């Protein structure tokens, strides 16, 4: 791409191992390898400031928190609502309208017990390479859906398959998105964490993706409980991503 800002290359050059249903691997921008790791929007400057949404896969913080993110909205395990309520987990749910379909009630219940609902497009299209109008329609359209359903204006957006380009970042900003959220760690179906870059261990500020839609022998609740044991084993807790972006 011709035009780049620091925000546009934050996650460049990494191989994303998981995070969206049906795709095991996606490569993001081909260039930018060796750039500094993802950072909070406050770190970002340059001529494009204000016109491109920043990309983050990790939050720079000294707080001993990690962030749990869930994609698509395909999995509606009722016991997951109970887990979020009992453990007071401020998880982030990135929802795709065509996947959630008539299932928004489940997410209303999750929201009522502390989850936040965020944007994962209308139709789960791979956005990179699409014209601005098409990308904007996917992002702004889901903003409108979530506003009409819940009266909210999501500030966070995750592109399907973790794939995006500069047009995505511009469209996201124009739709009111404050950050495009990827992940540094992803939970595999066996319950192990894999990492897109850096040291292969959980550290404060990590954004963790819990994929859905994969053949998994464990329920979403069981996978999350296992993940919580790993998090707590490292002296970490679950933070609210919105509070940091
Ligand atoms: Zn997805």
């Amino acid at each position: 791409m011709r035009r780049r800002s620091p925000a546009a290359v934050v996650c460049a050059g990494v191989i994303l191992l998981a995070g969206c249903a049906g795709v095991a691997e996606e490569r993001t921008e081909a260039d930018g390898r060796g750039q500094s790791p993802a950072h909070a929007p406050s770190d970002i400057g340059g001529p494009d400031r204000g016109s491109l949404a920043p990309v983050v896969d990790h939050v720079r913080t000294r707080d001993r928190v990690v962030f749990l993110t869930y994609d698509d909205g395909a999995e509606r395990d009722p016991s997951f609502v109970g887990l979020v309520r009992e453990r007071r987990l401020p998880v982030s749910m990135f929802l795709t309208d065509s996947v959630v379909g008539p299932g928004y009630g489940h997410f209303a219940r999750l929201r009522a017990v502390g989850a936040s609902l965020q944007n994962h497009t209308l139709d789960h299209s791979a956005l990179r390479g699409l014209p601005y109008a098409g990308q904007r329609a996917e992002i702004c359209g889901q903003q409108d859906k979530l506003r009409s359903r819940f009266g909210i204006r999501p500030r966070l957006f995750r592109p399907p398959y973790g794939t995006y380009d500069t047009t995505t970042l511009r469209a996201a900003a124009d739709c009111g998105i404050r950050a495009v959220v990827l992940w540094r760690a992803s939970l595999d179906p066996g319950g192990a964490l894999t990492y897109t870059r850096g040291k292969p261990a959980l550290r404060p500020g990590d954004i963790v993706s819990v994929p859905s839609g994969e053949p998994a022998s464990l329920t979403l609740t069981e996978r999350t409980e296992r993940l919580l044991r790993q998090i707590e084993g490292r002296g970490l807790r679950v933070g609210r991503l919105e509070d940091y972006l």
Side-chain angles (χ1 to χ4, degrees):
M1 68 193 168
R2 294 175 195 162
R3 189 180 176 205
R4 294 194 319 184
S5 74
V9 296
V10 159
C11 289
V14 300
I15 296 172
L16 304 177
L17 295 173
C20 282
V23 170
E25 185 172 295
E26 279 287 341
R27 186 180 294 275
T28 58
E29 308 297 336
D31 54 359
R33 189 176 297 275
Q35 294 286 332
S36 60
H39 43 65
S42 58
D43 294 329
I44 293 167
D48 286 322
R49 183 169 187 158
S51 61
L52 299 182
V55 182
V56 296
D57 68 353
H58 175 89
V59 174
R60 189 175 291 173
T61 178
R62 293 180 177 176
D63 297 346
R64 293 201 60 82
V65 294
V66 297
F67 308 100
L68 298 192
T69 64
Y70 298 78
D71 289 359
D72 305 339
E75 209 163 349
R76 288 159 222 157
D77 177 1
S79 65
F80 185 66
V81 180
L83 178 68
V84 168
R85 182 182 61 240
E86 289 160 16
R87 300 290 299 270
R88 299 186 178 184
L89 299 176
V91 298
S92 301
M93 314 299 295
F94 288 86
L95 301 181
T96 291
D97 184 64
S98 65
V99 175
V100 175
Y104 274 108
H106 173 76
F107 296 97
R109 290 188 283 279
L110 272 174
R111 180 167 180 256
V113 297
S116 80
L117 307 182
Q118 307 294 345
N119 189 330
H120 194 47
T121 72
L122 276 178
D123 202 28
H124 213 269
S125 299
L127 298 179
R128 187 167 61 175
L130 295 182
Y132 173 85
Q135 296 206 34
R136 182 186 170 107
E138 282 280 355
I139 302 169
C140 284
Q142 182 65 341
Q143 292 289 89
D144 293 343
K145 289 278 186 182
L146 292 170
R147 185 168 61 247
S148 66
R149 293 271 185 179
F150 302 106
I152 59 175
R153 290 177 179 271
R155 293 185 301 173
L156 307 180
F157 171 69
R158 173 168 287 165
Y161 317 108
T163 182
Y164 66 94
D165 58 17
T166 309
T167 302
T168 314
L169 307 184
R170 183 172 299 112
D174 292 348
C175 295
I177 295 295
R178 291 183 55 172
V180 171
V181 178
L182 302 182
W183 57 92
R184 195 180 80 86
S186 179
L187 192 69
D188 71 22
L193 285 169
T194 56
Y195 295 84
T196 59
R197 63 176 178 84
K199 186 180 174 185
L202 276 180
R203 56 190 169 94
D206 273 341
I207 298 171
V208 182
S209 170
V210 183
S212 70
E214 297 178 358
S217 57
L218 301 174
T219 66
L220 192 63
T221 302
E222 291 166 335
R223 280 180 280 148
T224 301
E225 286 173 334
R226 287 190 176 194
L227 177 57
L228 288 172
R229 285 197 286 275
Q230 294 185 60
I231 291 167
E232 289 160 0
R234 295 190 62 83
L236 297 163
R237 60 184 171 80
V238 179
R240 178 178 294 279
L241 187 53
E242 284 176 297
D243 292 345
Y244 290 82
L245 295 177

